[in-house]
């Protein structure tokens, strides 16, 4: 079974800091557990822009 994370903030640098792992490792672990893809959501204009830029540089993510 596969799940889609429809609301996350994986693009936020604090996300990786919180889990003390690189984003790539977090994504791989999630994919192994059956969670993929991700919709990374900004909380304001600048973070939304960053979410889109992040998605462009990480093809395994979706951003809104």
């Amino acid at each position: 079974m596969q799940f889609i994370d429809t609301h996350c903030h994986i693009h936020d640098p604090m996300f990786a800091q919180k889990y003390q792992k690189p984003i790539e490792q977090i994504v791989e672990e999630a994919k192994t557990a059956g969670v993929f893809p991700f919709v990374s959501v900004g909380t304001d204009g600048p973070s939304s822009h960053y979410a889109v830029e992040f998605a462009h540089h990480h093809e395994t993510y979706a951003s809104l």
Side-chain angles (χ1 to χ4, degrees), residues 48-62:
S48 295
H49 178 76
Y50 184 67
V52 171
E53 290 298 314
F54 185 89
H56 285 296
H57 291 96
H58 298 85
E59 64 184 54
T60 57
Y61 310 106

Side-chain angles (χ1 to χ4, degrees), residues 1-2 4-5 7 11 19 28 37 45 47 50 54 58 61:
M1 181 174 285
Q2 183 174 344
I4 298 171
D5 187 338
H7 185 119
H11 67 282
Y19 295 101
E28 286 306 314
S47 68
Y50 184 67
F54 185 89
H58 298 85
Y61 310 106

Side-chain angles (χ1 to χ4, degrees), residues 3-62:
F3 294 93
I4 298 171
D5 187 338
T6 62
H7 185 119
C8 69
H9 303 278
I10 199 166
H11 67 282
D12 187 328
M14 295 298 289
F15 193 93
Q17 216 171 22
K18 177 180 178 181
Y19 295 101
Q20 300 177 350
K21 298 178 182 181
I23 290 298
E24 291 78 13
Q25 182 180 350
I26 294 169
V27 170
E28 286 306 314
E29 290 174 4
K31 287 169 81 173
T32 299
V35 180
F36 183 78
F38 305 93
V39 180
S40 190
V41 181
T43 56
D44 58 17
S47 68
S48 295
H49 178 76
Y50 184 67
V52 171
E53 290 298 314
F54 185 89
H56 285 296
H57 291 96
H58 298 85
E59 64 184 54
T60 57
Y61 310 106

